[in-house]
Amino acid sequence: MARGAQKEQARQKAQKEAAKRAGGVSQLGARAAGLQIKCPKCFSGMANYKLLVQHMEAKHPKDPIPDESTFAK
Ligand SMILES: [Zn+2]
Protein backbone atom coordinates (compact mmCIF):
# COMPACT_ATOMS: atom_id res chain seq x y z
CA MET A 1 0.00 0.00 0.00
CA ALA A 2 2.70 2.46 1.04
CA ARG A 3 4.68 1.53 -2.02
CA GLY A 4 1.64 2.20 -4.22
CA ALA A 5 1.12 5.66 -2.69
CA GLN A 6 4.77 6.48 -3.22
CA LYS A 7 4.48 5.41 -6.81
CA GLU A 8 1.44 7.63 -7.28
CA GLN A 9 3.27 10.57 -5.72
CA ALA A 10 6.22 10.01 -7.99
CA ARG A 11 3.91 9.84 -10.98
CA GLN A 12 2.20 13.11 -10.06
CA LYS A 13 5.55 14.77 -9.50
CA ALA A 14 6.79 13.60 -12.86
CA GLN A 15 3.63 14.86 -14.50
CA LYS A 16 4.03 18.26 -12.86
CA GLU A 17 7.63 18.50 -13.96
CA ALA A 18 6.74 17.49 -17.48
CA ALA A 19 4.09 20.20 -17.56
CA LYS A 20 6.63 22.71 -16.30
CA ARG A 21 9.08 21.71 -19.01
CA ALA A 22 6.36 21.98 -21.63
CA GLY A 23 5.63 25.50 -20.45
CA GLY A 24 2.16 24.58 -19.25
CA VAL A 25 2.68 25.94 -15.76
CA SER A 26 4.29 29.17 -16.83
CA GLN A 27 1.61 29.73 -19.43
CA LEU A 28 -1.07 29.24 -16.83
CA GLY A 29 0.79 31.59 -14.55
CA ALA A 30 1.00 34.22 -17.26
CA ARG A 31 -2.67 33.85 -17.95
CA ALA A 32 -3.55 34.18 -14.29
CA ALA A 33 -1.29 37.19 -13.94
CA GLY A 34 -2.65 38.68 -17.13
CA LEU A 35 -5.21 41.40 -17.56
CA GLN A 36 -4.23 43.04 -14.30
CA ILE A 37 -4.38 46.51 -15.74
CA LYS A 38 -7.48 47.95 -17.31
CA CYS A 39 -7.44 50.78 -19.78
CA PRO A 40 -9.12 53.73 -18.04
CA LYS A 41 -10.76 54.73 -21.32
CA CYS A 42 -12.17 51.54 -22.77
CA PHE A 43 -11.56 49.10 -19.88
CA SER A 44 -9.68 46.63 -22.02
CA GLY A 45 -7.51 44.38 -19.89
CA MET A 46 -3.75 44.63 -20.27
CA ALA A 47 -1.22 42.12 -19.02
CA ASN A 48 1.20 44.83 -17.94
CA TYR A 49 1.85 48.54 -17.86
CA LYS A 50 4.03 48.47 -20.96
CA LEU A 51 1.14 47.06 -22.98
CA LEU A 52 -1.18 49.67 -21.55
CA VAL A 53 1.20 52.44 -22.68
CA GLN A 54 1.27 50.91 -26.17
CA HIS A 55 -2.50 50.61 -26.12
CA MET A 56 -2.98 54.22 -24.98
CA GLU A 57 -0.63 55.48 -27.68
CA ALA A 58 -2.39 53.42 -30.34
CA LYS A 59 -6.02 53.78 -29.31
CA HIS A 60 -6.25 56.89 -27.20
CA PRO A 61 -3.41 59.15 -28.34
CA LYS A 62 -5.17 62.26 -27.03
CA ASP A 63 -5.55 60.92 -23.52
CA PRO A 64 -2.84 61.16 -20.89
CA ILE A 65 -1.22 57.85 -19.99
CA PRO A 66 -1.73 57.20 -16.30
CA ASP A 67 1.36 56.71 -14.20
CA GLU A 68 2.45 53.18 -13.52
CA SER A 69 2.03 53.73 -9.79
CA THR A 70 -1.70 54.17 -10.43
CA PHE A 71 -1.81 50.45 -11.05
CA ALA A 72 0.46 49.42 -8.21
CA LYS A 73 -0.67 46.21 -6.60
ZN1 LIG B 1 -8.34 51.69 -24.23
Side-chain angles (χ1 to χ4, degrees):
M1 285 257 275
R3 188 175 286 177
Q6 255 181 4
K7 210 173 165 186
E8 176 62 18
Q9 270 187 352
R11 198 181 64 80
Q12 284 179 352
K13 200 178 162 196
Q15 241 176 15
K16 222 177 263 177
E17 276 167 14
K20 212 185 271 178
R21 271 198 298 273
V25 169
S26 63
Q27 262 177 9
L28 272 180
R31 204 171 297 163
L35 309 184
Q36 287 175 331
I37 293 177
K38 280 196 167 63
C39 168
K41 292 298 291 181
C42 68
F43 302 103
S44 289
M46 306 295 147
N48 56 51
Y49 179 71
K50 213 171 144 188
L51 286 175
L52 175 76
V53 172
Q54 283 175 5
H55 169 87
M56 290 299 290
E57 284 170 351
K59 303 285 183 184
H60 321 292
K62 286 178 190 150
D63 288 285
I65 298 169
D67 195 81
E68 187 169 8
S69 61
T70 309
F71 304 102
K73 281 163 254 173

